[in-house]
Amino acid sequence: LLLFLPERSNLAGVRHILLVLSGKGGVGKSTISTELALSLRHSGKKVGILDVDLCGPSIPRMFRVQDNDVHQCDSGWVPVFVDQDKSISLMSIGFLLEKPDDAVVWRGPKKNALIKQFVADVAWGDLDFLIVDTPPGTSDEHISTVEALRPYKPLGAILVTTPQAVSVGDVRRELTFCKKTGLRVLGIVENMSGFVCPHCSECTNIFSKGGGEELAKHAGVPFLGSVPLDPQLSQSLEEGRDFIQEFPKSSAFPALTHIAQQILDGTLQQSS
């Protein structure tokens, strides 16, 4: 008698899936995804980042692994590890392009097929969190991502905005997207919320203040916190210094630690 057992899914060892969304480009989704991964790693968690921003894959560069290649194993693609103890792993189209400047000039169906392949064919192993960094908007790539992940019951979405009204308006559309696709909103993060002077540590609100908190209150979803702009952290990235080492010294670190803790508290409540 032959028993046909279902194949073990590559996401079977992933405990929690988080999506990072925004209705707008340039609000720092990839930065928040990276900083959140580092904060969760700081709490002793194993984290993966799936970069589904096919036209602007910036995650590999943030971790200085853009020249790495993706290898195959029996169960699919092996993600790229960024540290010795393999506590952060990445998958991105950036690793699959022949030249870093290659543009992904694809129609929707081809993009959607790759997203499904990313969800099914990356051998993540055991992870506490998989963070999915998405492109801006509410288009077919987002629908494909949510549909492909639905069987694995994602924990929910974190929405990133900057303080200005224009950005907040675009993120409001993302809330509608989450409602329509049945994706739980874990909360809103206001990024670039003031600039911390490296000399006197005073925080100046360059754009404006409080738009993210106002939106969260209006939408009835948690406000997870405000993350200041840290030019020193940006500079360390530009100069190719080690982001993992630099991050705990950043003025953004306390805010991200607080956001990560709220997510951890929520997952502990869920599993108890």
Side-chain angles (χ1 to χ4, degrees):
L1 178 68
L2 284 174
L3 286 176
F4 289 101
L5 294 172
E7 277 186 50
R8 183 182 145 92
S9 147
N10 275 328
L11 288 172
V14 177
R15 293 179 66 194
H16 304 294
I17 300 171
L18 295 172
L19 286 92
V20 177
L21 300 172
S22 176
K24 190 167 183 59
V27 296
K29 280 183 300 302
S30 298
T31 307
I32 293 290
S33 298
T34 300
E35 292 176 340
L36 188 55
L38 291 171
S39 303
L40 289 166
R41 172 191 184 269
H42 213 74
S43 304
K45 303 298 177 192
K46 256 187 122 170
V47 189
I49 304 181
L50 174 57
D51 181 4
V52 294
D53 190 347
L54 303 183
C55 298
S58 46
I59 293 284
R61 186 183 162 81
M62 288 188 158
F63 285 101
R64 295 195 309 164
V65 289
Q66 65 268 33
D67 298 327
N68 288 39
D69 292 321
V70 167
H71 301 286
Q72 292 275 347
C73 68
D74 290 347
S75 47
W77 285 325
V78 181
V80 170
F81 295 100
V82 302
D83 55 348
Q84 293 272 275
D85 48 3
K86 298 188 171 182
S87 59
I88 297 184
S89 48
L90 313 176
M91 177 51 75
S92 168
I93 195 175
F95 299 129
L96 307 177
L97 300 173
E98 280 184 29
K99 295 197 279 296
D101 295 338
D102 282 355
V104 178
V105 187
W106 291 357
R107 290 186 185 277
K110 196 173 176 185
K111 286 182 180 177
N112 297 346
L114 182 66
I115 288 169
K116 285 178 186 139
Q117 202 178 345
F118 270 165
V119 169
D121 291 353
V122 181
W124 294 106
D126 291 331
L127 290 180
D128 294 300
F129 287 91
L130 176 63
I131 297 169
V132 183
D133 182 31
T134 64
T138 53
S139 60
D140 53 353
E141 283 134 281
H142 299 78
I143 297 164
S144 294
T145 305
V146 172
E147 281 179 356
L149 290 170
R150 201 185 300 282
Y152 308 101
K153 298 185 171 52
L155 189 63
I158 291 165
L159 269 52
V160 182
T161 185
T162 49
Q164 316 94 301
V166 170
S167 176
V168 168
D170 288 343
V171 177
R172 194 173 277 123
R173 293 183 195 104
E174 201 75 40
L175 280 162
T176 312
F177 170 81
C178 291
K179 204 173 283 178
K180 281 189 172 168
T181 54
L183 188 60
R184 180 174 160 230
V185 176
L186 299 175
I188 291 173
V189 172
E190 185 179 280
N191 194 25
M192 306 184 198
S193 188
F195 157 76
V196 177
C197 173
H199 306 295
C200 69
S201 299
E202 190 179 318
C203 188
T204 308
N205 298 311
I206 300 174
F207 299 121
S208 61
K209 192 178 179 346
E213 194 165 4
E214 196 62 39
L215 175 62
K217 204 182 292 177
H218 180 76
V221 299
F223 179 65
L224 297 175
S226 306
V227 181
L229 265 172
D230 182 358
Q232 287 174 310
L233 198 60
S234 311
Q235 201 176 340
S236 80
L237 257 179
E238 293 299 317
E239 291 168 5
R241 296 205 299 271
D242 189 339
F243 204 64
I244 295 177
Q245 297 301 316
E246 299 282 324
F247 180 55
K249 305 175 213 163
S250 163
S251 54
F253 183 68
L256 262 299
T257 305
H258 177 62
I259 291 165
Q261 195 52 55
Q262 289 177 84
I263 290 162
L264 288 169
D265 290 347
T267 61
L268 289 171
Q269 282 167 13
Q270 274 205 333
S271 51
S272 61

